[in-house]
Amino acid sequence: MKNIAVLVSGGGTNLQALIDAEKSGIIKNGRITCVISSNPDAFALKRAEKFNIPTLVLSRKSYPDVASYTKALTDALIQQNADLVVYAGFMTILDEQIVKAFPYKMMNVHPALIPSFCGKGFYGLHVHEAALAKGVKLSGATVHFVTEVCDGGPIIMQKAVAVENNDTPQSLQKRIMEQAEWKILPEAVSLFCQDKIRICDGKAYII
Ligand code: GAR
């Protein structure tokens, strides 16, 4: 059974999808053992507490720089014996220390079809604003391994979602969450926990 640590910063709907998937048996061979938030006011913390999942707040503001914050977070994850670290709406920039400590053991859900609308500055509603500004007809979500390159690690799963003529960033975000993120994130986590993902030549393959 793998220990899953979930990193959050906000509402935590992806965390909720993971909790629900664990309860319903969609996540095989894994259990959420801790939730760590960069934001003390994140509603995600309340979701975890409701299900008696241990929580920890590591506020970015309490650390002078990215390096000291990353070290504190990495140490906490090692202390928790995390086998898998899931970035579920985690909005805080970290450095390469954490990638070295958890190589191909961290995954992120991004609300677009990478390599579109990703990288620095593309997070939350900004991603959907950019997709609508471009006029794309399909967007979606991507689950990928976290490497030193922002949103650049091997892609594990993607799901496309149609953009509608009258979409707002909020309506597109909602549809992408419901139809893509909340489905592929638990699936990818389950595959990882069953050792069904391999990396070959920098790409991820489901076996
Ligand atoms: C989600 O749409 C997630 O994909 C996105 O933020 C939202 C968090 O919602 N993450 C990023 O943009 C990271 N680059 P949640 O807190 O309700 O899960």
Side-chain angles (χ1 to χ4, degrees):
M1 193 66 114
K2 293 202 196 302
N3 295 335
I4 305 165
V6 185
L7 306 184
V8 296
S9 301
T13 63
N14 279 289
L15 168 66
Q16 189 67 56
L18 291 170
I19 293 170
D20 294 346
E22 183 188 327
K23 299 273 170 259
S24 65
I26 289 172
I27 295 178
K28 297 189 174 63
N29 199 41
R31 62 192 175 113
I32 303 167
T33 48
C34 73
V35 169
I36 303 180
S37 177
S38 61
N39 166 14
D41 302 318
F43 186 68
L45 288 166
K46 302 250 179 320
R47 295 181 190 271
E49 283 158 14
K50 192 172 166 200
F51 290 88
N52 295 318
I53 300 168
T55 60
L56 180 66
V57 175
L58 283 179
S59 178
R60 175 64 184 83
K61 291 189 195 114
S62 310
Y63 295 84
D65 48 31
V66 175
S68 58
Y69 183 73
T70 308
K71 178 158 187 346
L73 182 54
T74 305
D75 288 349
L77 290 165
I78 292 168
Q79 171 99 36
Q80 293 287 334
N81 290 315
D83 297 305
L84 171 65
V85 180
V86 181
Y87 291 50
F90 186 68
M91 303 299 189
T92 307
I93 290 171
L94 304 172
D95 69 19
E96 68 290 342
Q97 292 174 76
I98 194 162
V99 180
K100 291 206 173 82
F102 293 94
Y104 298 119
K105 289 179 178 174
M106 299 195 290
M107 56 175 72
N108 176 48
V109 61
H110 182 76
L113 295 174
I114 289 174
S116 291
F117 312 117
C118 66
K120 202 163 179 277
F122 287 96
Y123 61 91
L125 277 177
H126 299 302
V127 177
H128 308 295
E129 283 161 8
L132 292 178
K134 187 67 191 173
V136 292
K137 305 303 175 229
L138 281 177
S139 190
T142 302
V143 178
H144 63 92
F145 281 115
V146 175
T147 63
E148 337 26 51
V149 183
C150 180
D151 295 332
I155 292 169
I156 302 165
M157 293 185 94
Q158 293 187 298
K159 189 160 191 282
V161 172
V163 178
E164 293 175 5
N165 285 343
N166 55 357
D167 262 330
T168 61
Q170 288 78 6
S171 67
L172 183 58
Q173 178 183 55
K174 183 169 182 281
R175 190 173 325 106
I176 288 175
M177 282 176 157
E178 288 171 355
Q179 295 184 9
E181 296 185 46
W182 301 343
K183 293 192 162 63
I184 64 174
L185 183 61
E187 274 180 53
V189 165
S190 184
L191 290 165
F192 180 94
C193 291
Q194 296 171 82
D195 291 318
K196 287 188 175 171
I197 309 175
R198 293 280 178 278
I199 303 287
C200 185
D201 293 334
K203 284 175 272 182
Y205 295 92
I206 295 165
I207 51 157

